[in-house]
Amino acid sequence: QNSVIWRETDVDTPANIDAIVSQNPFHYEILAQLGWNIQDSKNKYDVKSKLEQNTKYISISIDSAEPERAKEYLEVFLAKINAFYYPKVKTNVELLNNTIKRIINEKQGISSQIELLHSKLDTLENEDIKLKRQVDEIQNRNTQALNQHDKILAKESNPDSMTPLLLYSNIMQENLTQIDKILNNMRENNKIQREDLQQDIKDLKVELANLDVQLKNLESKLAVLGVKANPDTQDGQSEDIEVSGIKIIQEPTIDPQRVSPKRTLMVAVAGVLGLFVGIFAAFAAEFWQSHKVSA
């Protein structure tokens, strides 16, 4: 169950953290930091931990007759836990921020490509407008040539004088038709290029959307480590980082329901025990007297 709730963004599994808390390898470091006598028996604290089932929450407690000192000890203990995991968290943060930098650079590169493609698309659209204008002009000329051809046929009655003129008119019409085909082919190629560019732009925008999803995922991982996404910092971490992936849900407090001696219960138990001891002593004395008389 603990392995199920662990994720790669966590500094460690809850079970491992719980084991470290129970073993408390920081005891002598804590006493040295607090300036407390290592040999003094009252400075031996039994740190108890409890991993809440199906969660990442670990409850830590210390039973002590001096709760203020125990609280001070526990606060330093939590700081030692953070310091223990800090190098790993720092490495994770640096890796995550480097990945964020790489994705940001990729996004900038893709945005530049999109701008370039848009520029090419605008150029092709302008070329298509010019080609269309040329096609319209050629079609108008072709129409005029046909009209002129028809007028010549209507006016001239001598076939010999008409032949050169008709031949010239036909050649001009064929040339215009050929140019019209060429320009239309150019427009068709232009259209294909524009469609390809539009598809490339769509694909690049999809890549941008995927990179945005990756960025959000990385930012959420940093949030788990208690860090805000800030890839521009030199050490790969934000200025407000104070914890190393372990969050203190509740600061150490002293339980107001302290365990104190129950004097009434102690007197009652002592009285009952005394009564039993007295009855046993009376029976023992009687047995001893009867045994002595018979002897």
Side-chain angles (χ1 to χ4, degrees), residues 189-205:
N189 291 332
N190 182 290
K191 180 182 178 182
I192 293 173
Q193 292 181 41
R194 282 185 288 127
E195 289 176 350
D196 290 341
L197 287 175
Q198 290 172 349
Q199 185 60 47
D200 291 341
I201 290 173
K202 288 181 180 179
D203 293 340
L204 289 174
K205 288 183 176 179

Side-chain angles (χ1 to χ4, degrees), residues 12-221:
D12 204 349
T13 64
N16 287 345
I17 298 177
D18 180 58
I20 291 176
V21 171
S22 300
Q23 294 169 6
N24 188 10
F26 317 108
H27 176 68
Y28 295 107
E29 294 181 13
I30 295 173
L31 295 183
Q33 181 175 334
L34 293 173
W36 294 352
N37 186 2
I38 298 176
Q39 304 299 330
D40 193 343
S41 59
K42 71 177 182 180
N43 293 329
K44 294 181 180 180
Y45 294 100
D46 182 18
V47 181
K48 299 177 182 179
S49 64
K50 178 184 178 183
L51 176 60
E52 304 297 334
Q53 191 174 7
N54 297 327
T55 70
K56 296 181 181 180
Y57 297 101
I58 301 174
S59 300
I60 304 175
S61 62
I62 296 177
D63 291 334
S64 173
E66 298 181 347
E68 292 294 341
R69 287 174 62 88
K71 179 182 177 182
E72 188 177 358
Y73 180 94
L74 185 56
E75 288 173 345
V76 178
F77 174 82
L78 294 176
K80 291 294 181 182
I81 289 286
N82 275 330
F84 177 77
Y85 283 107
Y86 183 81
K88 179 179 178 180
V89 174
K90 184 178 179 181
T91 301
N92 288 348
V93 171
E94 289 175 351
L95 291 175
L96 290 172
N97 275 326
N98 288 336
T99 305
I100 289 176
K101 286 182 180 179
R102 177 182 59 79
I103 291 177
I104 291 176
N105 291 334
E106 287 184 17
K107 286 187 62 179
Q108 292 175 346
I110 291 175
S111 298
S112 299
Q113 293 180 43
I114 291 176
E115 290 180 3
L116 181 61
L117 292 178
H118 275 299
S119 178
K120 290 182 178 180
L121 187 60
D122 292 339
T123 302
L124 288 174
E125 288 176 349
N126 292 331
E127 288 180 359
D128 184 65
I129 293 173
K130 292 179 181 179
L131 289 172
K132 185 177 183 304
R133 188 180 300 123
Q134 292 176 4
V135 169
D136 292 339
E137 291 176 357
I138 290 172
Q139 288 176 349
N140 290 333
R141 291 176 185 176
N142 201 4
T143 302
Q144 293 175 3
L146 287 173
N147 292 335
Q148 191 67 23
H149 181 273
D150 293 338
K151 289 180 181 180
I152 292 172
L153 288 177
K155 289 181 180 181
E156 295 291 340
S157 59
N158 187 0
D160 294 333
S161 61
M162 285 174 52
T163 301
L165 191 58
L166 290 174
L167 182 62
Y168 172 77
S169 178
N170 289 334
I171 292 173
M172 182 178 176
Q173 184 179 353
E174 289 178 2
N175 289 339
L176 291 173
T177 302
Q178 195 67 24
I179 293 172
D180 183 64
K181 289 181 179 179
I182 293 173
L183 291 175
N184 281 319
N185 287 335
M186 292 175 65
R187 286 195 68 195
E188 188 64 27
N189 291 332
N190 182 290
K191 180 182 178 182
I192 293 173
Q193 292 181 41
R194 282 185 288 127
E195 289 176 350
D196 290 341
L197 287 175
Q198 290 172 349
Q199 185 60 47
D200 291 341
I201 290 173
K202 288 181 180 179
D203 293 340
L204 289 174
K205 288 183 176 179
V206 171
E207 288 187 32
L208 275 180
N210 291 333
L211 290 175
D212 285 334
V213 172
Q214 294 181 35
L215 275 178
K216 290 182 179 179
N217 185 31
L218 292 171
E219 290 172 359
S220 65
K221 290 182 178 181

Side-chain angles (χ1 to χ4, degrees), residues 198-295:
Q198 290 172 349
Q199 185 60 47
D200 291 341
I201 290 173
K202 288 181 180 179
D203 293 340
L204 289 174
K205 288 183 176 179
V206 171
E207 288 187 32
L208 275 180
N210 291 333
L211 290 175
D212 285 334
V213 172
Q214 294 181 35
L215 275 178
K216 290 182 179 179
N217 185 31
L218 292 171
E219 290 172 359
S220 65
K221 290 182 178 181
L222 285 174
V224 171
L225 297 174
V227 183
K228 295 180 180 179
N230 189 6
D232 296 329
T233 54
Q234 293 181 355
D235 58 355
Q237 59 187 357
S238 63
E239 296 178 356
D240 61 347
I241 180 171
E242 296 179 354
V243 298
S244 56
I246 299 176
K247 297 180 180 179
I248 307 301
I249 304 301
Q250 180 181 352
E251 294 294 334
T253 57
I254 298 174
D255 188 355
Q257 301 296 327
R258 292 185 57 188
V259 177
S260 57
K262 297 181 179 180
R263 302 185 184 279
T264 303
L265 180 61
M266 293 172 62
V267 171
V269 171
V272 172
L273 289 176
L275 179 61
F276 278 112
V277 170
I279 294 173
F280 177 78
F283 279 109
E286 183 180 358
F287 174 78
W288 173 258
Q289 291 294 333
S290 61
H291 180 71
K292 183 176 179 181
V293 171
S294 61

